[in-house]
Amino acid sequence: MAALRSADAVHFGLLRDTLEVSDSLLSKHLASLESAGYIRVTKGYVGRRPRTWYSLTSEGRAALDAYLAALREIVEDPGS
Amino acid sequence: MSTPDDAGGLTPSTAAEALSASDAVARRIRSHRRWYIAGALVMAVTMIAFTIVLASWPSRLAQVIIPGLVVAAAILVGLAWWGRTVPAAATAATNRTVFLSALLVVVALVLIRLFLPEGFSSWAVLTGLLPGLPFIYLAWRVARA
């Protein structure tokens, strides 16, 4: 989700290469995130080749922001 | 994805590691915006060249302009293929940019036809720059986002 946060849409292949995971593992995670309403899937074409794009929904963005804020709080104030 | 409640069980060092991994992934994806910026600049050059050539040498439509547009389209498909990302701020800005640039092509051609001498001139070049400006702005905006 952090990968999707820094762009409007990211292609499946770029996500796989960036995260260094297998197609099947990535597909499984993306399906879970999509069913949770955190990401949106768009099918399109570049030239004649089909491409699948993923982007964060506003719910996904809010959930990721909350998670990152919680992580920052742990790092900055470990005692709380 | 973990929820903020899940993050409660993490140690500070694990949380710092997760944050740094998240930053690294975001940086890597963001670096792919250079392909989109290159595409916007190719579009700027294409629109400028198209307007100048069409205004100055309209009889060369079949020999120069159409092959030039085909080459530009092939380059854009290649850049989109390598880029594999739509950078932040690009989706909203792109449609407006395409519309504005097309409008400026018409404005530039009308200006050239009505007010400028026939054939190639420095005024034709200056007027021909107009349709490229929206794509230069798009490239700048995506680079800054």
Side-chain angles (χ1 to χ4, degrees):
Chain A
M1 281 180 72
L4 295 176
R5 194 181 189 283
S6 53
D8 283 353
V10 181
H11 174 242
F12 181 88
L14 180 59
L15 277 176
R16 178 200 55 213
D17 296 347
T18 304
L19 300 171
E20 294 170 357
V21 293
S22 66
D23 284 10
S24 57
L25 182 62
L26 181 59
S27 295
K28 202 173 155 191
H29 277 278
L30 290 171
S32 310
L33 291 171
E34 189 191 3
S35 61
Y38 286 164
I39 64 169
R40 186 181 307 112
V41 184
T42 312
K43 308 257 182 200
Y45 285 86
V46 172
R48 288 181 178 177
R49 297 221 178 181
R51 284 212 153 173
T52 308
W53 301 87
Y54 295 88
S55 50
L56 272 189
T57 60
S58 49
E59 291 87 357
R61 192 169 290 268
L64 178 64
D65 287 345
Y67 182 65
L68 292 176
L71 288 178
R72 273 187 210 104
E73 203 175 308
I74 293 169
V75 173
E76 286 160 14
D77 190 11
S80 66
Chain B
M1 194 194 77
S2 306
T3 63
D5 293 336
D6 297 335
L10 294 175
T11 64
S13 67
T14 323
E17 242 174 72
L19 277 174
S20 117
S22 158
D23 285 346
V25 161
R27 256 198 317 276
R28 256 188 275 170
I29 295 289
R30 208 175 295 122
S31 73
H32 275 255
R33 70 188 164 172
R34 66 181 181 271
W35 298 103
Y36 200 90
I37 293 167
L41 294 176
V42 166
M43 275 303 293
V45 170
T46 304
M47 296 308 284
I48 291 168
F50 171 77
T51 311
I52 293 170
V53 174
L54 189 62
S56 305
W57 301 286
S59 58
R60 295 270 178 100
L61 186 72
Q63 294 157 293
V64 179
I65 298 175
I66 292 172
L69 290 177
V70 170
V71 169
I75 293 172
L76 288 171
V77 168
L79 290 171
W81 177 257
W82 286 108
R84 298 189 293 175
T85 176
V86 179
T91 307
T94 301
N95 288 343
R96 277 199 307 270
T97 302
V98 170
F99 174 75
L100 190 58
S101 181
L103 188 71
L104 286 172
V105 169
V106 175
V107 170
L109 290 176
V110 168
L111 282 175
I112 289 168
R113 186 59 56 89
L114 293 183
F115 300 107
L116 300 183
E118 258 183 53
F120 182 75
S121 69
S122 53
W123 284 109
V125 173
L126 282 177
T127 314
L129 290 175
L130 283 177
L133 296 179
F135 283 102
I136 293 170
Y137 174 72
L138 176 66
W140 174 78
R141 191 160 167 200
V142 168
R144 278 186 43 142

